[in-house]
Amino acid sequence: MATSEIMRIYTFPEPVLKTVADSVANINGQLQKFIDRMGETMYAAPGIGLAANQVGELKRILVYDLTSRSEGRNLSVLVNPEIVHGEGEIVYDEACLSVIDFSAEVTRQAQIKVRGYDRHGKPVEIEAEGLFAVCLQHEIDHLNGKLFIDHISSLKRGLYKRKLQKILKKGKDSEMRL
Ligand code: NI
């Protein structure tokens, strides 16, 4: 796919990242094209997950691919995802394509069950644990206008905001992955 398919990734503190995305009512060809562009944008970043808010679209769509690079691509999509069950606790050092040059430990549920729709509008139910569960919760948070830094203490968040000011002055680039 051409480079022109890659979309800009919005970064904190842009307002679209703080906004709750709308449910998708109609899964059609245009939406499938958008999903492919999300996939290309995620792979180019590179990242393992991306939510539509991050490319400036307030639609409840997320893409992910936790396959290792050497195994090739296996793009997965969830439209209108909803966590219907969760249990246990997992702590993972998270980063985000929309939060430049920062990572922090976040506590989330260790096992979750998610319902949604695939790219053809077929209902799907997914059980996830470990990094997969972290990734889905992180991306669903995006659709709810929430970033991983909303899970850390206000003290740590304040330190990041000050760090970000310095980074933006220097024009330093991101190496982040989620
Ligand atoms: Ni993210």
Side-chain angles (χ1 to χ4, degrees):
M1 205 172 277
T3 319
S4 60
E5 298 296 306
I6 294 165
M7 296 179 278
R8 173 164 92 85
I9 295 177
Y10 288 66
T11 56
F12 175 83
E14 288 183 278
V16 72
L17 298 168
K18 291 292 240 175
T19 310
V20 179
D22 299 317
S23 290
V24 174
N26 195 5
I27 300 175
N28 54 24
Q30 204 183 350
L31 196 84
Q32 282 159 6
K33 175 122 178 54
F34 175 69
I35 288 167
D36 288 332
R37 293 187 71 197
M38 281 184 70
E40 290 306 312
T41 305
M42 179 186 78
Y43 289 121
I48 60 168
L50 190 73
N53 304 48
Q54 293 181 275
V55 291
E57 288 281 337
L58 290 169
K59 295 179 176 139
R60 299 190 79 80
I61 302 170
L62 62 85
V63 296
Y64 60 93
D65 187 349
L66 279 75
T67 325
S68 74
R69 289 263 132 176
S70 58
E71 289 172 51
R73 289 179 177 187
N74 181 23
L75 183 69
S76 294
V77 181
L78 270 177
V79 178
N80 297 343
E82 204 182 327
I83 297 170
V84 293
H85 180 75
E87 62 184 63
E89 261 189 19
I90 183 171
V91 179
Y92 195 86
D93 189 40
E94 293 189 27
C96 178
L97 293 168
S98 294
V99 180
I100 58 175
D101 284 340
F102 187 64
S103 70
E105 287 192 340
V106 175
T107 304
R108 297 191 187 269
Q109 289 182 302
Q111 288 106 26
I112 57 167
K113 191 188 280 184
V114 180
R115 284 193 195 129
Y117 297 87
D118 71 8
R119 60 180 295 141
H120 305 292
K122 191 182 139 213
V124 288
E125 187 173 277
I126 293 168
E127 285 184 34
E129 60 177 18
L131 175 60
F132 187 19
V134 169
C135 175
L136 290 180
Q137 287 169 90
H138 177 113
E139 304 309 336
I140 291 169
D141 263 5
H142 275 302
L143 302 179
N144 292 324
K146 208 167 174 186
L147 298 172
F148 81 90
I149 52 174
D150 294 318
H151 289 277
I152 64 177
S153 72
S154 56
L155 178 72
K156 277 190 194 163
R157 199 161 49 243
L159 288 173
Y160 173 63
K161 283 178 185 170
R162 283 205 289 284
K163 185 186 167 185
L164 182 65
Q165 293 308 315
K166 286 183 200 159
I167 292 167
L168 293 178
K169 263 184 213 162
K170 277 196 267 175
K172 200 175 161 190
D173 209 352
S174 164
E175 292 170 8
M176 295 302 162
R177 313 201 130 263
L178 264 177

